[in-house]
Structures are given as structure tokens and as C-alpha cells.
Amino acid sequence: MQNLETETKIKQPTSSPLEFRNQFEGKMTMLSDAETVQEYLDAHQGWFVRCASPMTVEPIGENSYALTIGRFGALGFELEPKIGVELLPENNGIYRMETVPIARNDDHLYEVDYQAELQLAENPEKAEPKNCDTITEVEWTLDLGVAIYFPQFIYRFPKPVIRRTGNRVLAQIVRQVSRRLTYKVQQDFHRTYNLPFPS
């Protein structure tokens, strides 16, 4: 919990932000064919809201959502990031997600550039004979950039320390969110289609 003095300083950020950018990748295995997985992903109005918890999700358009990620911080500075993301329709087996602008009362503190891509790779050879005829691997990549307008007191720390800490916190957030989201989507998909869960 921050004291009043710190909270007051946070409302007076510096004019130029520090930028942090990282790339991430991962995959999740679905015990089904690519067509079924695509059918599931296309119906994101159901699974996205169900699986994003404990993040708060608010639909803001036909394919767009406002996500409140959670509260994170370091070096005495905390944020509760909220971003708008749009799930673009599938194009040649590729799904993309990107940031869209949303109204925020803290938009003077940070900016987020979220560019994700999901690709389906069907592979009958990796199928578990007792469970299914084929599997589909959903391979994803994420290019994430965050610009933060730090309050002046943060600059008591050396810039390399701020950058290392920022990159570490960013990686921690992505690992935590992606691991949880991947597991929940897998669980929800296999339950929806009454399929065994991958071992």
C-alpha cells in the first residue's frame, strides 16, 4: 500500500517515458483437428470471457475487449494495467490480436503495444492413439511493448536497474497470465467438445 506522498507524485509523471519491449512464444495442445479448434477460437465471445478470469474482461465491441490485468509494481511504483485488445478474424489459419484504444483514467501513466499471433498446426503423427486421431498445436507469439511515464522519485535509481526491473516484471506478468490462460483455454476447449484432456 502506497502512502499519500507517493500517490501524489505518481500523478506528476516525467514528460518522456521509458520503454520496455519483449518477445514471447508458446504453444498449447488440443486433442482434435484444426477445423474444430478453429470453430472454437472463432466463438471467442464465450471462451475469452470464461478463460480470462481472474482478469476482469469487458466486451467493448464485436471482437474487442477491455482487460484489467491485475496490480503489479516494483521500486515503490505500482500500476493496475488495463488494455484494449481486438481479436481479428482468422486469415489463412492465422489469428491476430492487437491493442485498441480504450478510455482510461490513468492513460497519462503508461501506453501498451500488444501484438499477438496464433497459428494452428495439425499433426496426426503426434496423436495419442487411445485418445484421438490427430492433434492440433496452437503456436503463439507475442510482441509486447510498454512505455511508462515514471514519477520523478523512480529516477533515484540508476537507469540500468530500472530497465532490468521493468523487463523482469513484464516477463513475470506475461508468464503468469499466459500460463494460466493457456491452461484454462485447453480445459475449456476439451470440456466443450467432451474430449480427454492432454496428458
Side-chain angles (χ1 to χ4, degrees), residues 70-187:
R71 195 157 189 87
F72 299 92
L75 305 176
F77 177 69
E78 288 188 345
L79 284 174
E80 189 173 29
K82 183 176 182 178
I83 64 171
V85 295
E86 181 175 10
L87 283 68
L88 300 176
E90 174 268 338
N91 184 13
N92 294 324
I94 295 175
Y95 291 84
R96 289 185 174 85
M97 295 173 66
E98 58 185 35
T99 41
V100 291
I102 57 172
R104 302 192 328 250
N105 58 11
D106 59 355
D107 57 4
H108 60 293
L109 292 178
Y110 64 93
E111 298 168 5
V112 178
D113 179 25
Y114 180 101
Q115 304 291 330
E117 188 174 287
L118 289 80
Q119 188 162 8
L120 308 186
E122 192 176 277
N123 195 335
E125 295 177 7
K126 287 189 175 181
E128 302 175 38
K130 295 180 181 177
N131 289 335
C132 63
D133 296 325
T134 188
I135 72 166
T136 300
E137 290 179 340
V138 182
E139 301 170 346
W140 60 266
T141 59
L142 170 62
D143 184 6
L144 180 63
V146 179
I148 301 178
Y149 296 83
F150 285 111
Q152 285 292 345
F153 78 88
I154 286 292
Y155 291 95
R156 294 178 302 184
F157 300 97
K159 268 195 178 179
V161 172
I162 300 172
R163 288 201 174 277
R164 277 199 309 272
T165 304
N167 283 323
R168 176 179 55 78
V169 171
L170 195 59
Q172 175 191 344
I173 293 170
V174 172
R175 274 197 307 271
Q176 180 179 318
V177 171
S178 65
R179 188 179 297 131
R180 188 169 53 215
L181 186 59
T182 295
Y183 179 75
K184 287 191 169 187
V185 169
Q186 280 183 301
Q187 203 174 40

Side-chain angles (χ1 to χ4, degrees), residues 14-33:
T14 60
S15 55
S16 58
L18 275 181
E19 296 185 6
F20 305 88
R21 183 167 289 277
N22 277 299
Q23 287 78 39
F24 306 90
E25 61 181 29
K27 66 180 177 181
M28 58 183 169
T29 301
M30 307 300 212
L31 299 186
S32 188
D33 57 274

Side-chain angles (χ1 to χ4, degrees), residues 24-93:
F24 306 90
E25 61 181 29
K27 66 180 177 181
M28 58 183 169
T29 301
M30 307 300 212
L31 299 186
S32 188
D33 57 274
E35 185 179 350
T36 304
V37 176
Q38 185 174 321
E39 175 186 75
Y40 174 81
L41 293 177
D42 287 342
H44 57 78
Q45 293 86 353
W47 65 262
F48 193 76
V49 173
R50 287 195 301 270
C51 299
S53 173
M55 292 186 290
T56 304
V57 182
E58 177 190 349
I60 55 174
E62 186 180 349
N63 299 309
S64 305
Y65 303 87
L67 292 175
T68 303
I69 310 297
R71 195 157 189 87
F72 299 92
L75 305 176
F77 177 69
E78 288 188 345
L79 284 174
E80 189 173 29
K82 183 176 182 178
I83 64 171
V85 295
E86 181 175 10
L87 283 68
L88 300 176
E90 174 268 338
N91 184 13
N92 294 324

